[in-house]
Amino acid sequence: MKHVLFAAAVTIGIAGLAAGEAGATASPDKVATVVVHGFDPSGASTTGVFGNDQTTTYITEMAVELGLPTSDVDPTAPNQVAYTTYYGDQYPAYYTAQDIQDIQNITTTHGGGVPRYAAIVAKFAEHVMERSGAEQVNIFAVSFGGLISRYMIEKDVEGLASTDKIARWIAVEGVVAGNYGATYGGPVFEDFYEEQYGAPPIDLQHMDYEWVEANIHNPRQSSASPFLGEFPTHFWLASDDNFNERALTFLSGKANDGVVLTEDAKLTSLPPQSLYLGLEPTVSTMHTNHESTKDFEGIRAGVAAQLFGRKRVTITLEQVRVRNEFDGSARGDGEYVFGLRVFSPQAESLYGITNAIHQVRADDASIPFVRMAQDTTVTVNMTWFDDMVLPGETALRLQTNVDEVDGDIIYNISEALGEVYEDLADTTVEVNIEAPGTYTLETDDWRAVVGVTVTEYPPYDGTETAAQGWELYE
């Protein structure tokens, strides 16, 4: 089996910045990270104080691994990772009379739910900045927190977005555009969630597609908000649907992580005013289910790159050609999925993280298939990877995972009974992101042309600091 990589002489170079002015971003040592948690089993009926400092094991572990202090240990650190809850019925001590009135008015107007939770998170972010001197906050949202943080940003709750107080928005398997089960699951879904999680009805109501379209934006998977054009946005998708016996897959027929459809965990087709530097938000994928993302270290490495990095790498699968026949003549052209895993040598060096930072594969249906005949070159121009890289990263390691699909419920391919994937020869290669250009990947079974481009994000606002050279986080 041949595993050959040819680097073309043509260099694409560093991509220029798009027209328009993005908001300023403070140096990482002056930016706090506010975590917006997901769906809570005790839900909206929870009693106790909301909007106060809390901690959770996976957030603490992630912060420690990335070299950042947590708010429970150092509440005055400008680069702290702060975690709170938006559930509860008692006001925190730092609330003013006006804060209390604001929450009461929102609750009366909307009945609680997402608008109330968004206001609590926004007031907590303000509180974190006031006590620490942080100039901005990163909004790090998971699951239901994706919808809450989206509402907070697009509705400019507490003026955080319009006053340039948000440095970046990161959503991990977020219910960003609503939830399929909450919309179409019917009484069975509602009973399941109520029995398993004690789900408050208002949370399910606000995850409904119609609520999102009526209260945030229609179409729900897009946005017209100019605030999104002011800072980088990053989406993480989980794509392993082997959860709850694949109930969501059979219900929807779409790719999912067992709880959220992958298409609902991101925003797409944004208009120019909603694009940071004229670019769509980054989207990275992991082979893990909804409940397991918190323990997936590849996501931690990717989040570190999003928090600290200023270089965005885009790898495009431009052309493909399959040499050998994997579908017989009776079946016609083959359906090929060019899967990929991306590894960060810098993450391995700094953190000892050896997991992939991005993975798309056939059995997750996390990347489109290419229908093609043997020995025919097809132009694909498919984004294979598009995300930030860590400061100091000079190369990325690519490991292919190419399959011909004969049966898959989500791809709607039924040439064989059940789910059937035929492996093609694969290769592992390293691309130099300091010299972007065109590469050719080649094995005994297939050949592909891959393009690598790099976009430099604007420098951090203000004086150069150690954080820009990464020393602060080694």
Side-chain angles (χ1 to χ4, degrees):
M1 181 187 302
K2 292 187 296 183
H3 299 297
V4 184
L5 171 67
F6 300 101
V10 179
T11 299
I12 298 175
I14 305 297
L17 299 183
E21 293 294 326
T25 302
S27 184
D29 62 334
K30 300 176 183 177
V31 181
T33 298
V34 172
V35 179
V36 189
H37 67 75
F39 191 77
D40 193 301
S42 54
S45 60
T46 299
T47 59
V49 179
F50 58 78
N52 59 344
D53 282 288
Q54 296 194 1
T55 187
T56 184
T57 301
Y58 82 92
I59 293 297
T60 299
E61 288 177 350
M62 183 183 73
V64 170
E65 196 160 18
L66 303 187
L68 297 172
T70 53
S71 60
D72 58 313
V73 174
D74 192 353
T76 63
N79 61 339
Q80 67 186 269
V81 177
Y83 180 86
T84 191
T85 179
Y86 45 76
Y87 289 125
D89 61 353
Q90 298 175 29
Y91 301 101
Y94 62 84
Y95 266 34
T96 65
Q98 184 60 56
D99 290 328
I100 294 173
Q101 187 64 54
D102 291 343
I103 299 299
Q104 290 176 344
N105 291 343
I106 291 169
T107 304
T108 299
T109 301
H110 299 279
V114 168
R116 173 187 169 95
Y117 305 152
I120 291 169
V121 171
K123 288 181 181 295
F124 178 71
E126 288 182 309
H127 174 61
V128 169
M129 285 187 283
E130 288 171 1
R131 75 186 181 195
S132 67
E135 296 178 4
Q136 291 178 308
V137 290
N138 301 311
I139 303 301
F140 181 84
V142 296
S143 193
F144 189 31
L147 185 62
I148 294 165
S149 56
R150 177 186 179 180
Y151 185 96
M152 182 184 73
I153 291 167
E154 294 197 35
K155 298 299 183 180
D156 194 28
V157 180
E158 292 292 305
L160 290 180
S162 62
T163 56
D164 201 25
K165 292 297 188 295
I166 298 176
R168 51 187 66 76
W169 178 31
I170 302 172
V172 180
E173 18 81 68
V175 186
V176 172
N179 182 272
Y180 186 95
T183 305
Y184 299 118
V188 173
F189 177 86
E190 293 177 5
D191 290 347
F192 170 79
Y193 265 66
E194 185 173 357
E195 179 182 342
Q196 296 294 320
Y197 303 112
I202 195 166
D203 286 11
L204 295 179
Q205 292 167 13
H206 288 186
M207 289 187 229
D208 187 282
Y209 291 162
E210 290 186 1
W211 189 91
V212 176
E213 291 178 343
N215 292 275
I216 303 180
H217 189 265
N218 187 5
R220 60 190 174 80
Q221 291 167 326
S222 185
S223 172
S225 172
F227 302 126
L228 292 174
E230 296 297 309
F231 48 80
T233 296
H234 307 288
F235 296 121
W236 285 90
L237 312 181
S239 60
D240 183 0
D241 65 347
N242 190 21
F243 182 71
N244 287 332
E245 299 182 342
R246 303 190 70 194
L248 185 55
T249 299
F250 293 112
L251 179 68
S252 69
K254 296 185 177 184
N256 64 85
D257 64 5
V259 176
V260 181
L261 300 187
T262 56
E263 66 182 41
D264 289 340
K266 60 184 178 180
L267 297 179
T268 57
S269 302
L270 298 177
Q273 72 268 22
S274 302
L275 298 176
Y276 181 75
L277 303 181
L279 301 171
E280 292 280 349
T282 69
V283 179
S284 281
T285 304
M286 283 299 177
H287 176 69
T288 185
N289 65 44
H290 192 84
E291 297 296 316
S292 300
T293 50
K294 62 176 67 72
D295 301 316
F296 208 91
E297 290 210 326
I299 293 179
R300 297 181 186 181
V303 167
Q306 293 163 350
L307 291 176
F308 311 134
R310 292 188 292 123
K311 184 179 291 186
R312 175 173 175 169
V313 176
T314 304
I315 301 175
T316 304
L317 183 63
E318 297 179 351
Q319 292 183 337
V320 293
R321 183 185 187 95
V322 175
R323 291 195 170 99
N324 299 316
E325 185 176 62
F326 288 86
D327 250 355
S329 57
R331 292 178 177 174
D333 296 343
E335 294 85 11
Y336 298 92
V337 176
F338 289 84
L340 181 71
R341 289 199 293 173
V342 180
F343 297 86
S344 164
Q346 186 74 333
E348 295 177 15
S349 174
L350 289 174
Y351 308 124
I353 294 177
T354 58
N355 294 114
I357 59 172
H358 173 68
Q359 182 175 10
V360 287
R361 47 193 276 171
D363 55 346
D364 290 348
S366 53
I367 190 171
F369 68 81
V370 181
R371 181 172 280 122
M372 57 191 300
Q374 179 185 1
D375 280 333
T376 301
T377 298
V378 175
T379 298
V380 180
N381 288 332
M382 179 190 301
T383 300
W384 232 7
F385 171 80
D386 183 24
D387 215 329
M388 309 302 293
V389 295
L390 289 164
E393 192 85 85
T394 60
L396 292 174
R397 190 165 67 254
L398 312 183
Q399 186 178 93
T400 66
N401 179 24
V402 182
D403 292 289
E404 200 281 323
V405 183
D406 290 322
D408 188 283
I409 183 176
I410 299 176
Y411 284 131
N412 196 27
I413 297 173
S414 56
E415 297 171 347
L417 294 176
E419 295 187 339
V420 182
Y421 314 97
E422 187 172 0
D423 295 336
L424 277 68
D426 287 304
T427 185
T428 299
V429 299
E430 195 166 274
V431 295
N432 180 3
I433 62 175
E434 293 189 312
T438 302
Y439 294 82
T440 299
L441 281 63
E442 192 163 345
T443 75
D444 290 337
D445 290 334
W446 56 274
R447 180 182 187 274
V449 177
V450 175
V452 180
T453 59
V454 177
T455 301
E456 293 277 2
Y457 278 18
Y460 297 128
D461 189 39
T463 308
E464 290 282 326
T465 69
Q468 291 179 259
W470 186 254
E471 290 85 356
L472 242 147
Y473 303 99
E474 286 187 340

